[in-house]
Amino acid sequence: MGLVAGVLAACLAGAAMGATATAHAAAAGCQVTYTVGTQWGGGFGANVTIKNLGDPLGSWTLRWTFGAGQTISQAWNAGVTQSGSAVTASNASWNGSLATGASTSFGFNGTWNNSSNPVPASFTLNGVTCTGSVTASPSPSPSPSPSASPSPSTPPVRTVRVFWLKPSNVAYDQRYPDGIAKVVQEAQRFFRQQLGKTFTLNNPVVEVVNGDQLQSWYENTPNCGDKYWWSVCNMQAELRRKFGLGAPDSRWINVGEISAEGDGAGGGGGNGWVILSGHDADGAAGINGPMNRWYGGMVHELGHAFGLPDATSTDGTCMSATFYSYPNCTFSQAQKNSILNGRYGSFLS
């Protein structure tokens, strides 16, 4: 599964509650519906729908303040940040334009105090307080918005950063970030078992990225030569552009999984990157095949990211086909030394 040199150079250079609040925007009006759909001990999931009642909007920024210490841990279909109790949600690149009468939605997971989880008292859209009526006078122009759903803040350096890129026509499914997180956490455990040291993962472990293109675009737009690589190389190019990532990158090792496949699509690792296509993402989500194959595959590709080549034979190491029998594979002493003394050995602690 490793990247050959030519391709490496090309690719890697509970209870439901709801409330409706209304708002108006610049020379416009809107309705905002905030619904807590699921709630469990310490956590909840919510959906926010914005309906434009007035003049067409080219982009939007929605703001509110939590009243009971809630925090947002993960969001999709919008870029969401939080400072204290204040939350800012801005459109993704593909859902910023709202014609009169049009609606768009985004969702998030968050934490609460297990006592009170009230709906926010008010919202503002593009800087104007929500009132529920269409204003006849113009307001300030909307501010620009990001094109991805980034993590709440830039992750610490010398860590492993993990992304799930969801094409624009693929529905959000919590099994994917949860499953991918479990796979890399198992790899983290394995590295410590083998090396006495391991890498640090960020929080949240998986950053959900709303892709700019349809699934078919990632699968059928040429990149990195052979079609085997198109979906993963297109993913990597978008991640690099949106998050300013290098290949290699001195700040992070980067793991990307995309819910796109194409003919014979696969993935690989090297130069501080792991890039995996749809069947790996499906496997991590528990949809495709036994879990040991996906655990072993992640260990194998992270080995490449840390600088290891493929083994020359099926020799019992995880850098050979033995990874299919995970956890019945190891790193050899030479492989351990290579990781510890390599470019990213200092990432381990």
Side-chain angles (χ1 to χ4, degrees), residues 195-209:
L195 300 167
K197 297 181 177 182
T198 197
F199 50 85
T200 298
L201 291 164
N202 295 305
N203 183 23
V205 174
V206 178
E207 298 175 61
V208 179
V209 181

Side-chain angles (χ1 to χ4, degrees), residues 53-200:
L53 302 177
D55 295 341
L57 297 176
S59 63
W60 52 264
T61 298
L62 186 72
R63 292 185 171 90
W64 72 86
T65 300
F66 281 129
Q70 300 99 319
T71 62
I72 293 178
S73 56
Q74 184 180 64
W76 50 93
N77 296 338
V80 180
T81 60
Q82 182 169 354
S83 177
S85 60
V87 179
T88 301
S90 297
N91 63 272
S93 61
W94 50 269
N95 66 355
S97 296
L98 288 177
T100 302
S103 298
T104 190
S105 298
F106 64 93
F108 63 87
N109 290 330
T111 64
W112 67 300
N113 60 18
N114 288 318
S115 176
S116 176
N117 189 12
V119 171
S122 64
F123 298 85
T124 65
L125 185 71
N126 293 347
V128 178
T129 303
C130 304
T131 66
S133 61
V134 178
T135 178
S137 59
S139 300
S141 300
S143 58
S145 59
S147 60
S149 48
S151 58
S153 60
T154 302
V157 297
R158 299 159 71 90
T159 56
V160 173
R161 194 170 183 180
V162 185
F163 304 91
W164 173 44
L165 192 148
K166 182 185 71 60
S168 61
N169 62 326
V170 172
Y172 181 83
D173 188 330
Q174 188 64 41
R175 290 178 296 178
Y176 284 84
D178 288 349
I180 295 168
K182 289 178 182 177
V183 170
V184 294
Q185 285 166 342
E186 171 60 17
Q188 183 185 46
R189 184 205 64 80
F190 182 83
F191 267 62
R192 182 173 298 282
Q193 177 194 69
Q194 293 287 302
L195 300 167
K197 297 181 177 182
T198 197
F199 50 85
T200 298

Side-chain angles (χ1 to χ4, degrees), residues 282-293:
D282 289 344
I287 296 170
N288 184 3
M291 283 306 299
N292 68 316
R293 183 258 180 268

Side-chain angles (χ1 to χ4, degrees), residues 52 84 96 139 332:
N52 181 26
S139 300
S332 70

